Amino acid sequence: MPKKVIRRFLPDHEVIKRQKALKIFGNVLYNPNLWCLNRRSASGAFAVGLFMAFVPLPSQMIMAAGLAILCGVNLPLSIVLVWISNPITMPVMFYFAYKVGAKVMHLPPQHFHFELSWQFLAEQIGTIGPPLILGCAICGLVCAVIGFFGIRGLWRYSVVRSWQKRSVR
């Protein structure tokens, strides 16, 4: 069941191979292990994608692709999962990560009014930067571990259930 559900949401691998941003990986994209979908590759892709969703940089998809290639996990799934942090969810995710980082560093949370300007970012990076980065790392690792073991468990449950259905027949 998870394999069928996941395949439904994945883009075609030929479309991904033609992306200009992924040309930096060259012929590595033609490795068939990056495109197969099994329990190991799916759980690893969930870990990579969910971790990279918490990276506060604009090149999350390219970094997720690079990490998926290094780990040998499903490339399209890891790229798709990065979009959990889309423009709608990103402020909530990063604010939560900042709160987690401030709590771990024993810092009082800074109250600030957000402005979309370079001057605001330059002024605030010294105060909100370290807790934000630490919180993103913590949240990314926790989500990656939960995603990894969650998909492995769901996949195993689905296989066991299908075997039980076959034995009943």
Side-chain angles (χ1 to χ4, degrees):
M1 181 195 110
K3 188 173 188 175
K4 292 176 185 174
V5 172
I6 291 172
R7 280 206 193 276
R8 192 176 321 152
F9 293 106
L10 288 180
D12 186 37
H13 68 277
E14 292 299 326
V15 173
I16 293 175
K17 286 179 186 176
R18 288 191 297 250
Q19 294 296 317
K20 291 179 182 177
L22 296 178
K23 295 291 182 192
I24 61 173
F25 297 116
N27 291 334
V28 176
L29 293 178
Y30 295 103
N31 181 356
N33 292 331
L34 297 176
W35 307 100
C36 71
L37 191 59
N38 55 36
R39 183 174 60 181
R40 183 195 152 301
S41 68
S43 59
F46 263 79
V48 167
L50 292 175
F51 178 76
M52 284 300 172
F54 277 95
V55 173
L57 294 174
S59 57
Q60 293 171 322
M61 288 176 37
I62 295 172
M63 291 187 295
L67 192 56
I69 290 169
L70 284 175
C71 295
V73 298
N74 189 283
L75 181 68
L77 187 56
S78 59
I79 291 174
V80 166
L81 283 167
V82 168
W83 278 95
I84 288 174
S85 64
N86 58 54
I88 296 169
T89 62
M90 197 176 291
V92 175
M93 289 173 62
F94 289 153
Y95 182 70
F96 178 75
Y98 168 73
K99 291 285 223 178
V100 168
K103 183 86 168 166
V104 169
M105 294 177 75
H106 303 292
L107 297 174
Q110 300 285 328
H111 297 285
F112 59 89
H113 175 70
F114 181 75
E115 295 176 26
L116 190 59
S117 68
W118 289 111
Q119 180 184 0
F120 171 78
L121 289 175
E123 291 172 357
Q124 296 294 323
I125 198 69
T127 58
I128 66 171
L132 175 66
I133 292 170
L134 178 64
C136 284
I138 291 169
C139 291
L141 283 172
V142 168
C143 286
V145 168
I146 290 171
F148 180 83
F149 289 112
I151 289 299
R152 284 187 86 85
L154 181 64
W155 201 287
R156 177 154 173 73
Y157 171 75
S158 174
V159 169
V160 168
R161 201 173 97 215
S162 70
W163 277 100
Q164 289 173 344
K165 284 181 179 178
R166 285 183 193 170
S167 67
V168 170
R169 286 189 235 165

